[in-house]
Amino acid sequence: MELSTEINTEKKILTIHVLGKYNRLKDGNSAQNFVIETFKDHGCRKILLDLTKAYIISDKLSSFELANPNPDVSAELRKFKFAAVYDTISQDIYFFETVASNRGLTFKAFETKGQAIEWLEGK
């Protein structure tokens, strides 16, 4: 997995581009920690995850575990609003979205970047 970032300072959105193989649990935990640890540098609470160029390796258990992080991580992640963009939204992604929402995280999956940005902006 390779990560690159860009910041839209006007909209205060941090975009994380994910490229290559993305193991939902292992790489997802790394991405969550990255968002938390770098907040002091970027100051963005709105996060756009661009997974359109990622090959996602996942199953229901890894989706459940990632959407249900330990209490310390979960408390920090609740401070952010996450929009994830995929080429296609699978049942596994919808499952992840549901579990994350049930755990108090603000996460929504989209098929277009425009829809994701509108949602992050509250439109």
Side-chain angles (χ1 to χ4, degrees):
M1 174 191 72
E2 182 182 326
L3 294 179
S4 65
T5 61
E6 66 181 271
I7 298 175
N8 182 325
T9 54
E10 180 184 320
K11 296 181 181 197
K12 297 192 177 202
I13 296 173
L14 171 67
T15 299
I16 301 174
H17 301 279
V18 181
L19 306 168
K21 268 189 189 175
Y22 175 80
N23 179 302
R24 181 170 307 273
L25 186 56
K26 183 182 93 176
D27 296 327
N29 281 324
S30 296
Q32 287 177 345
N33 289 325
F34 175 81
V35 167
I36 293 167
E37 291 169 7
T38 62
F39 172 73
K40 64 183 176 291
D41 298 326
H42 58 72
C44 299
R45 292 280 182 200
K46 297 178 233 172
I47 311 298
L48 176 62
L49 301 167
D50 180 355
L51 293 145
T52 58
K53 294 189 169 111
Y55 173 73
I56 301 170
I57 301 166
S58 182
D59 57 29
K60 280 210 191 282
L61 182 58
S62 62
S63 290
F64 179 82
E65 288 181 19
L66 182 64
N68 191 29
N70 75 52
D72 293 336
V73 172
S74 186
E76 287 301 312
L77 292 175
R78 284 190 186 104
K79 298 174 185 176
F80 296 90
K81 186 175 186 179
F82 294 91
V85 182
Y86 302 89
D87 279 337
T88 304
I89 301 176
S90 68
Q91 289 302 315
D92 186 57
I93 293 166
Y94 283 126
F95 177 73
F96 176 84
E97 181 181 78
T98 300
V99 174
S101 294
N102 288 343
R103 299 301 182 266
L105 304 177
T106 306
F107 176 92
K108 187 143 177 66
F110 297 91
E111 289 184 338
T112 71
K113 193 182 261 189
Q115 290 172 327
I117 291 170
E118 283 183 12
W119 181 78
L120 284 170
E121 293 181 304
K123 295 181 180 176

